[in-house]
């Protein structure tokens, strides 16, 4: 949970102060004075510790009202390798949501995902809230926004194509969620110089990789 100084959060605090790349993607630093959340390897000057909380996932940071840093690009952070052992199911579910779009599209539900993993919906939600600080639905929402961010900065697809490729059901929904998360319209972060990068391979590359962990 954001701001909860558990033993794990104490480890995150040291990793944040050291900018330890081994923890990149394992947690995110939320700066209360700016309203922005960052990766622990963000190159900007470290804020005062008293102004920083920690979140176990990008979705948890956004649920707490923080927006992604445009400098360190949380959407490019890897998933932490720490979620192993008894938490293998959490990682598998996370990957199904982020990489395979398991909660995107008509008819996709958390109940269906849970059944696919051999557990109840309630248990899956409990695992996500405990270890990622967010529900599966929130993780899916953040994944869509971050896919869209990569497509906006890495391709020349139209806004409608970006919305659909990222997993949104409509352009209107995409615009509303993007403004809510980034506090600016999608077009404001678009690459300024066209480079005709709409080839399938480049689109696929932009759709891979995520920072929700």
């Amino acid at each position: 949970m954001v701001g909860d100084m558990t033993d794990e959060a104490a480890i995150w605090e040291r990793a944040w102060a050291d900018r330890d790349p081994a923890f990149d993607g394992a947690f995110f630093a939320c700066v209360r004075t700016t309203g922005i959340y960052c990766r622990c390897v963000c190159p900007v000057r470290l804020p005062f510790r008293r102004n920083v909380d920690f979140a176990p996932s990008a979705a948890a940071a956004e649920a707490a009202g923080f927006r992604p840093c445009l400098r360190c690009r949380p959407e490019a952070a890897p998933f932490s390798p720490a979620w192993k052992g008894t938490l293998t199911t959490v990682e598998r579910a996370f990957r199904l949501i982020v990489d395979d779009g398991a909660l995107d599209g008509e008819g996709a539900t958390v109940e269906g995902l849970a059944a696919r993993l051999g557990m109840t919906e309630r248990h899956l939600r409990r695992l996500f809230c405990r270890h990622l600080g967010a529900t599966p639905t929130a993780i899916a929402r953040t994944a869509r926004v971050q896919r869209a961010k990569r497509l906006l900065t890495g391709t020349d697809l139209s806004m409608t194509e970006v919305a659909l490729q990222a997993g949104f059901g409509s352009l209107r929904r995409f615009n509303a969620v993007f403004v809510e998360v980034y506090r600016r319209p999608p077009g404001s972060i678009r690459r300024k110089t066209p480079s005709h990068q709409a080839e399938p391979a480049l689109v696929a590359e932009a759709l891979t990789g995520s920072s929700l962990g």
Side-chain angles (χ1 to χ4, degrees), residues 45-212:
R45 181 178 178 181
L46 291 179
F48 290 114
R49 173 64 186 88
R50 63 176 179 271
N51 296 324
V52 177
D53 290 327
F54 299 104
S57 68
E62 290 175 13
F66 294 90
R67 63 186 185 277
C69 174
L70 294 177
R71 181 77 180 274
C72 67
R73 299 177 57 230
E75 75 276 2
F79 186 80
S80 169
W83 308 104
K84 298 296 183 182
T86 59
L87 296 181
T88 298
T89 299
V90 175
E91 180 177 355
R92 183 185 175 201
F94 178 93
R95 287 303 186 192
L96 287 171
I97 293 171
V98 174
D99 295 342
D100 298 341
L103 294 183
D104 297 336
E106 187 176 353
T109 65
V110 177
E111 182 180 6
L113 175 61
R116 184 175 176 181
L117 296 167
M119 65 180 66
T120 65
E121 177 183 356
R122 181 179 179 182
H123 185 54
L124 181 62
R125 290 182 183 278
R126 185 186 301 116
L127 285 177
F128 267 65
C129 290
R130 178 180 178 184
H131 298 295
L132 294 179
T135 65
T137 301
I139 293 289
R141 176 181 181 274
T142 297
R144 293 183 201 111
V145 175
Q146 295 185 342
R147 286 187 208 116
K149 169 67 164 47
R150 291 192 295 273
L151 288 168
L152 286 170
T153 58
T155 76
D156 292 326
L157 293 175
S158 69
M159 288 296 177
T160 298
E161 290 173 317
V162 167
L164 296 178
Q165 290 273 5
F168 289 94
S170 69
L171 178 60
R172 180 178 180 181
R173 178 60 179 163
F174 162 55
N175 286 329
V177 174
F178 196 94
V179 170
E180 181 181 347
V181 172
Y182 280 97
R183 311 293 200 273
R184 63 187 69 192
S188 68
I189 64 169
R190 182 121 232 191
R191 209 166 6 89
K192 302 301 182 183
T193 305
S195 62
H196 308 293
Q197 294 188 12
E199 291 84 353
L202 293 171
V203 172
E205 180 180 351
L207 287 172
T208 60
S210 182
S211 67
L212 307 189

